[in-house]
Each structure stands twice: as C-alpha cells, then as structure tokens.
Amino acid sequence: MYFITGNRHKYEEAKVILGEIKMLSVAYPEIQADNLEEVVIYGIDYLKNKIDRNFFIEDSGLFIKSLRGFPGVFSSYVFKTIGNEGILKLMGGERHREATFISVVAYYNGKTHIFKGECKGKIAEKVKGDKGFGYDPIFIPEGSEKTFGEMETEEKNKYSHRGRAIRKLRKYLESC
Ligand code: ITT
C-alpha cells in the first residue's frame, strides 16, 4: 500500500501505526475548497487510474477558534508564509487560544473510503520543542502540558488528528 505524500513526517507518523507502507511522492492537485474532504476526494479522482496499488492520501489543517477557523484549509500556505511566529503574533494578547487540528485520510481500493480525525487543544504562548513539523511547536493537545514539538512520534500519535484518522484506517483494513 502506498501513502502518497510529499511530507516525510506524515509518512513516519503513519508508518508507526500501519507498519510496512511505502511513501510515494506524486503531485496531485490540491484544490482550494472550504473543507478538507473535498480536497481529498478530488485528489483521489485525479490519482485513481494512475497508481497500480491500493493507496491513501491525507489532508490536514489547523483551525483556530478566535481566528474563526484560520488558517484551516490554507494551513500549508500560511505555514510557508507567516509561519509559527506569524500565528503567535496574530494571537498576541488573546486569552481564548482553543484550536483544533483536523486530518482527513482518503483510502482507495477500487472505492474511496474517508477517515477523519480531530485533536482539540490550544495555541501555546511561545514556540516550544524542535520535534515534528509545521505547527507542532505551537500546539498543545488537550490532556497534555507539552506541545507536539516536544513529543516523540509515538506520543504525538496518541493524541493527534492524524493518529486518530490512521487508526480508523487500520481498523478498516483489519476488517477486510
Ligand atoms: P502532502 O504532500 O501530504 O499534501 P503537506 O505538507 O502539503 O503534505 P497538507 O497539505 O496537509 O500537508 O498541509 C497542511 C499543513 O498544515 C502542513 O504543511 C503543516 O504546516 C500543517 N500541519 C498538518 N498536520 C500537522 C501536524 O500534525 N503537525 C504540525 N503541522 C501540521
């Protein structure tokens, strides 16, 4: 089975849960939709006749409550432009720091299957930790005092949006 992604961190996180999967970096259009499901369904439609094995793709985003869901579906672009320091600036002086990470996995085996995972938490006051990727050093999941950036992959997976979505995929695969 392939995980089609250009992001090695995502692949490493999924591999801890699923075991032997292969990373394949094939570009596919990521449309500018207002929800993550639409993005992955479009991606699967584009890829399904081009890939010779069962595969999955994943799209994710960080939705900050006091910013009305921003960066959300723009998470990738916002990370590349203003980054974590930019988000912390936007949140300057804000006491309501709730945020949710969402992951949507789409698995294709002749049919498309969607698995969604959410992780509630809050935006830290400052960047903490050098593990993981993206917004990990500014996100503290509910039930922990640490940011994802201070966690090893296994610990992050216990809480994370992607861990939850990939475990749903694993359950489905076990039932086949
Ligand atoms: P793909 O090739 O799989 O699309 P990507 O890195 O472009 O990989 P996304 O399109 O899903 O990933 O973009 C979501 C962005 O949100 C990503 O670039 C990160 O900055 C951020 N993000 C998503 N999941 C994250 C996580 O678990 N921890 C930290 N940041 C995350």
Side-chain angles (χ1 to χ4, degrees):
M1 178 169 63
Y2 291 128
F3 181 6
I4 299 183
T5 177
N7 184 324
R8 178 151 289 278
H9 298 278
K10 284 188 179 184
Y11 166 71
E12 296 296 340
E13 290 176 12
K15 204 167 88 164
V16 169
I17 297 167
L18 293 172
E20 272 318 300
I21 54 170
K22 282 199 164 25
M23 175 173 168
L24 193 63
S25 185
V26 177
Y28 61 89
E30 291 193 33
I31 55 162
Q32 202 58 73
D34 54 16
N35 70 73
L36 301 172
E37 282 89 343
E38 274 181 61
V39 180
V40 289
I41 287 169
Y42 193 91
I44 291 274
D45 272 345
Y46 175 87
L47 291 165
K48 66 184 178 193
N49 297 319
K50 300 181 174 67
I51 307 296
D52 61 354
R53 289 192 205 179
N54 294 347
F55 67 92
F56 66 95
I57 57 177
E58 191 255 13
D59 201 39
S60 39
L62 177 66
F63 297 74
I64 301 175
K65 201 169 171 187
S66 66
L67 302 179
R68 298 186 192 163
F70 182 86
V73 293
F74 306 107
S75 291
S76 191
Y77 179 74
V78 170
F79 186 75
K80 279 184 225 145
T81 51
I82 65 171
N84 286 330
E85 293 296 347
I87 294 287
L88 291 181
K89 234 185 223 173
L90 288 176
M91 297 291 291
E94 177 62 65
R95 284 172 44 243
H96 299 285
R97 306 185 74 85
E98 301 89 340
T100 304
F101 256 129
I102 300 181
S103 161
V104 178
V105 166
Y107 172 64
Y108 186 74
N109 60 356
K111 280 188 180 159
T112 304
H113 306 267
I114 304 282
F115 306 94
K116 191 170 173 183
E118 286 193 18
C119 175
K120 290 197 161 73
K122 62 181 184 200
I123 303 298
E125 298 284 346
K126 54 181 195 229
V127 171
K128 262 174 104 185
D130 55 7
K131 298 182 177 64
F133 69 101
Y135 301 108
D136 280 345
I138 60 163
F139 183 82
I140 303 171
E142 249 174 41
S144 176
E145 299 288 305
K146 291 194 259 182
T147 67
F148 276 161
E150 298 175 289
M151 295 182 187
E152 300 297 340
T153 305
E154 286 78 2
E155 188 178 7
K156 177 182 169 186
N157 271 346
K158 276 187 211 159
Y159 296 96
S160 80
H161 49 312
R162 185 165 304 102
R164 292 195 165 121
I166 301 275
R167 281 194 293 275
K168 287 185 187 170
L169 167 60
R170 183 178 65 187
K171 204 166 169 197
Y172 168 76
L173 293 170
E174 285 167 356
S175 75
C176 287

